[in-house]
Amino acid sequence: MSVDPAVGSSSNAGTYNVAAISTTNGGATWTSDPVPLAYGDGLSAVACPSISTCFAAGYNSIISTTDGGSTWRNDPVPQGSGGLGAISCPSTSDCTGVVGASIVSTTDGGSTWTSETAPAPVDSLGSVACPSTSTCFAVSGNSFRTTEKSASAPIISTTNGGATWTNDPIPSQVTNLSSIACQSALDCTAVGSNDIVSTTDGGSTWTSETAPAPVASLDSVACPSTSTCLAVGVGYGSVGGLVVSGANMNAPSVVTASLPSANAGVAYSATLNATGGFSPYSWSVSSGSLPGGLSLDPSTGSITGRPVSEGTFKFTVEVSGANSSTTTQDLSIVVGPAPPLACSSTGVGSASYSGGYWIATSTGAVYSCGDAPFYGSLVTAGVTPLKPVVGIAAAPDDKGYYEVASDGGVFAFGPGANFYGSMGGQTLNKPIVGVATTPQGGYYEVASDGGVFSFGPGANFYGSTGCLSLNQPIVGIEVASNTTTVGTETACGSTNPDAPGGYRLIARDGGVFSFGNATFAGSLSGEGVSDVVGAAGA
């Protein structure tokens, strides 16, 4: 049996009788139910926790049915309960009713009802919602916050089945609430006058929401889901009865109307902000795209990164509340050229710096400083190295440079940097730690065990420390600019005094190993040093 009851009173020559009607066909027809005589003016509230069980309340009376309205019985009500104006039943055995400052409840399907104590200074309770058998919320329908009644408590709640009720904190500007609905034990919405307040944490905090025009007062609210509520009331001016509905009633709104401009290659940071709805928020880009190099943090709304290219980038952001209600906002970011910085990832140098150089990061980003032109990088090429970049070396004509990764991968940029091969994809005993170029355009890679790998013109192999037992690992290689007739190291290779050039390997303890025609002028080995990071020739 399906039942939708309605209750009220009928009059006959000044005599009021209890009335209950019900439908079992979706409202196509309604029939009168036989109800027992109740004291007072009739019934004013009804709650049905199931299709067969209903409770109806009125002045000093509660009646109930367990057979879909075929029969009704009088429930015993505590003395002094007064006219019960609202009732809520989270289960067929648990109900709570309120009126004035009175609260009554049952946990056995209405066989017994007990009184509960409302906290001071409640004047009148007009609505109750119980999303669970232990949690209920009630609003003071006639508690206006005036000078005389500034301490009235518009919302009270219990989380222990009515054993204790407490006053909930609500925004100070809320003056009157007449109805409350709860989607869960944490999510509730209350309305009254032109006020709307909601909670997402079980009443610990209540947040005001804005009622749309032309609301004059709201009298009742229903929330069928955590994202949708409907409220009814009266409009102002020529508007009579109205219904306020839709998911946006509890949706957040985007406060951010515009975003600051950016510059290519320069760190950027901006934060999207929202208000209302149910936090925490979740952010996303629903259409369009952010400038390349920027990303949006979904939990904080922060847009960060370094834009790669110039232009105007239009996109739409979407913010979603904890109840899955969403709002969108169209935004754009204008990316201008890189400013005249000393070091820039787009190669714009500064005339105040003569000469220049390049700085590389482990991700493969390259920053050109001074007048050094920018020839590109792994970052601007959209390439992520398999292993971190560990070094950079300029081409001999300064018209390019090489980046080298710890797995031996070499990446050439610029017209003067020709690619002659690498150790990338090869099996290494130890990772690569540095790179150096020759005057003829070739280059060397060196590993932490002193293994040397030569590529291209002028990159003659003169030997290495790859077979030696080193006190400390090799940290770099330096191509010699001044040479003598013969180098000092021949342990893991052969010197070639007839070939020009040479190189030196530098260890972390300051040990220096010279090969080819590179001059050996001493080292720090044995001096107790252990933090050497490199060397440069004079």
Side-chain angles (χ1 to χ4, degrees):
M1 174 182 290
S2 175
V3 58
D4 293 294
V7 296
S9 61
S10 61
S11 64
N12 183 11
T15 301
Y16 289 87
N17 299 311
V18 175
I21 60 176
S22 63
T23 179
T24 58
N25 55 12
T29 58
W30 290 78
T31 58
S32 295
D33 289 349
V35 297
L37 181 65
Y39 177 80
D41 292 338
L43 302 169
S44 58
V46 64
C48 296
S50 74
I51 61 174
S52 59
T53 301
C54 293
F55 298 84
Y59 185 79
N60 230 4
S61 61
I62 298 176
I63 62 173
S64 61
T65 178
T66 56
D67 55 13
S70 297
T71 58
W72 292 78
R73 73 177 187 190
N74 271 319
D75 286 354
V77 181
Q79 290 296 317
S81 298
L84 295 171
I87 191 170
S88 178
C89 301
S91 73
T92 56
S93 58
D94 296 86
C95 291
T96 297
V98 299
V99 70
S102 299
I103 305 172
V104 296
S105 65
T106 181
T107 58
D108 57 10
S111 297
T112 57
W113 290 80
T114 58
S115 293
E116 298 174 3
T117 303
V122 169
D123 297 317
S124 177
L125 297 171
S127 179
V128 64
C130 298
S132 73
T133 56
S134 60
T135 302
C136 289
F137 297 84
V139 297
S140 299
N142 297 319
S143 292
F144 289 88
R145 286 193 172 188
T146 63
T147 302
E148 293 79 11
K149 294 183 178 180
S150 60
S152 62
I155 301 179
I156 63 173
S157 63
T158 180
T159 58
N160 54 15
T164 56
W165 289 77
T166 58
N167 295 319
D168 282 5
I170 66 169
S172 59
Q173 70 272 22
V174 176
T175 58
N176 179 47
L177 297 171
S178 57
S179 179
I180 188 168
C182 295
Q183 308 93 317
S184 71
L186 297 177
D187 303 275
C188 294
T189 298
V191 301
S193 184
N194 61 351
D195 292 317
I196 302 173
V197 295
S198 63
T199 182
T200 59
D201 56 13
S204 296
T205 57
W206 289 83
T207 304
S208 286
E209 300 175 4
T210 302
V215 169
S217 70
L218 296 171
D219 300 318
S220 184
V221 64
C223 297
S225 74
T226 57
S227 62
T228 302
C229 287
L230 296 92
V232 296
V234 178
Y236 54 74
S238 61
V239 179
L242 56 77
V243 176
V244 179
S245 65
N248 285 337
M249 184 174 180
N250 289 319
S253 59
V254 180
V255 176
T256 305
S258 62
L259 291 169
S261 58
N263 290 99
V266 178
Y268 181 85
S269 179
T271 301
L272 303 171
N273 292 297
T275 187
F278 297 97
S279 61
Y281 304 134
S282 178
W283 295 90
S284 62
V285 176
S286 59
S287 65
S289 61
L290 295 172
L294 298 186
S295 60
L296 171 63
D297 188 312
S299 61
T300 65
S302 296
I303 300 175
T304 57
R306 293 178 184 270
V308 174
S309 58
E310 302 174 33
T312 299
F313 300 85
K314 298 181 179 180
F315 52 92
T316 300
V317 297
E318 180 178 274
V319 60
S320 175
N323 61 350
S324 300
S325 58
T326 61
T327 303
T328 60
Q329 175 72 46
D330 294 332
L331 295 169
S332 64
I333 296 178
V334 177
V335 181
L341 300 175
C343 298
S344 167
S345 62
T346 58
V348 179
S350 171
S352 61
Y353 290 80
S354 61
Y357 44 85
W358 295 279
I359 300 173
T361 70
S362 62
T363 62
V366 173
Y367 296 86
S368 59
C369 303
D371 293 333
F374 180 72
Y375 294 110
S377 71
L378 292 178
V379 171
T380 58
V383 175
T384 300
L386 297 177
K387 294 293 183 179
V389 169
V390 294
I392 186 171
D397 59 1
D398 289 334
K399 293 183 179 180
Y401 39 79
Y402 300 92
E403 292 186 89
V404 66
S406 64
D407 61 356
V410 172
F411 309 93
F413 299 91
N418 296 310
F419 180 75
Y420 296 107
S422 75
M423 294 304 294
Q426 304 296 316
T427 300
L428 298 172
N429 293 327
K430 294 293 181 179
I432 298 298
V433 294
V435 62
T437 56
T438 69
Q440 295 80 13
Y443 47 85
Y444 297 99
E445 296 183 67
V446 64
S448 63
D449 62 356
V452 175
F453 310 95
S454 56
F455 301 90
N460 298 306
F461 178 73
Y462 300 103
S464 74
T465 61
C467 65
L468 297 181
S469 177
L470 301 174
N471 295 327
Q472 292 289 330
I474 298 297
V475 295
I477 183 171
E478 185 254 328
V479 174
S481 59
N482 57 346
T483 60
T484 60
T485 58
V486 66
T488 61
E489 301 298 332
T490 61
C492 299
S494 60
T495 60
N496 187 356
D498 296 328
Y503 47 79
R504 304 178 186 92
L505 306 185
I506 299 89
R508 186 176 295 165
D509 61 357
V512 176
F513 307 88
S514 62
F515 296 88
N517 294 325
T519 301
F520 177 76
S523 73
L524 298 177
S525 181
E527 299 295 330
V529 177
S530 61
D531 57 356
V532 172
V533 296

